[in-house]
Amino acid sequence: MKTRVIGKDLEVSAVGLGCMGMSHAYGAPADKKEMTELLAKAVDIGYTFFDTAEVYGTPEAPHDNEELLGRALKPFRDRVVIATKFGIKFDMSSPKPNKPLIPDSKPEVIRASVEGSLRRLGTDHIDLYYQHRTDPDIPVEEVAGVMYDLIREGKVTHWGLSEATEENIRRANRVCPVTAIQNRYSMMARHYEELFPVLDELNIGFVAFSPLANGFLSAKYGKDSVFEYDTDYRSIMPQFSSEGIDQNRELLELIRNMAESKNSSPAQIALAWMLCKNNRIVPIPGTRRLDRLKENAAAADIELTQQEVGKLDAALDTIPMSEVFGGTRQVKRN
């Protein structure tokens, strides 16, 4: 697969693999043996960029995803870039499937988190370490100071921020250079495009999570799709509701038409659109299936002209579409 450099010197596959859904938020965790085999096949296909977090798991196995990646990627550790995250926990008292997030980026918590992630990932360093969400009680400069120390100690080689604003990016970057931000971005969620000039100025990469709007832009789902309420966040996502599917018909038709003209799939067009829009963007779609893994990787080879990207942008500016899932509510810690 083609590669991209994010930040100053972190080279990754042009399409990365978001691994959360193997363990968290998309139904019951997948079979470990099957996912281990899938991750090995991902490396063979050309994926070198794998994304996880310390909180991707279940109440019974809260760190399931890091543990899975640690075992599965051990034979390939010198060939892959592993990104993980710190700084949140879930409010387990909530009955909702997407339990509220409680931020906690106290320095001592970060220190404990990095040691836990290193142990579970079976590695002596984390290639890209994100603050998962801003902590309103801890200045981002303090977080950046901890990152500076961890990088100096060799436990982290690059760091970043997730769901970051321009102000926090600038404040953090002054203390310790930021390699990447990881923000929600797709054809249905474009509000972070305003950050592109800032990232160009500061030489920071943009890792796009939910680049297919949680899979919706693959055009594989309809009103007959069923999602388990307790374990699958899609059960409460507006784009997958009956009303949302009706509201998004024109959007999906737009993508299907472009896909037909490029002899590709809707998912590939949704990924190629952002890859061709800005060379700092690296999408990290997730999947549990080999065919989707191959399909997403092949999006890196689709060329859209700037005129084609502009035509899609103009349509997205005016086309009717439903609300799209915007993330889990954040609450203050006690």
Side-chain angles (χ1 to χ4, degrees), residues 179-213:
T179 291
I181 63 164
Q182 185 184 124
N183 286 7
R184 183 181 304 276
Y185 185 53
S186 73
M187 286 180 162
M188 296 186 75
R190 299 170 60 204
H191 45 283
Y192 283 121
E193 289 181 355
E194 65 187 21
L195 290 178
F196 289 173
V198 179
L199 303 183
D200 288 342
E201 174 192 341
L202 301 178
N203 193 21
I204 295 172
F206 188 118
V207 177
F209 77 86
S210 297
L212 299 178

Side-chain angles (χ1 to χ4, degrees), residues 209-263:
F209 77 86
S210 297
L212 299 178
N214 308 98
F216 183 80
L217 296 175
S218 68
K220 300 287 188 181
Y221 298 92
K223 292 184 179 181
D224 57 344
S225 300
V226 177
F227 308 107
E228 185 176 319
Y229 179 78
D230 290 339
T231 60
D232 197 323
Y233 287 15
R234 289 172 295 184
S235 64
I236 51 87
M237 292 181 182
Q239 67 267 37
F240 290 99
S241 68
S242 179
E243 297 81 4
I245 288 169
D246 285 337
Q247 292 169 325
N248 292 315
R249 290 188 188 282
E250 191 175 342
L251 168 64
L252 293 183
E253 187 65 19
L254 170 74
I255 302 169
R256 287 192 183 101
N257 288 340
M258 180 63 78
E260 185 176 346
S261 73
K262 294 292 182 178
N263 193 28

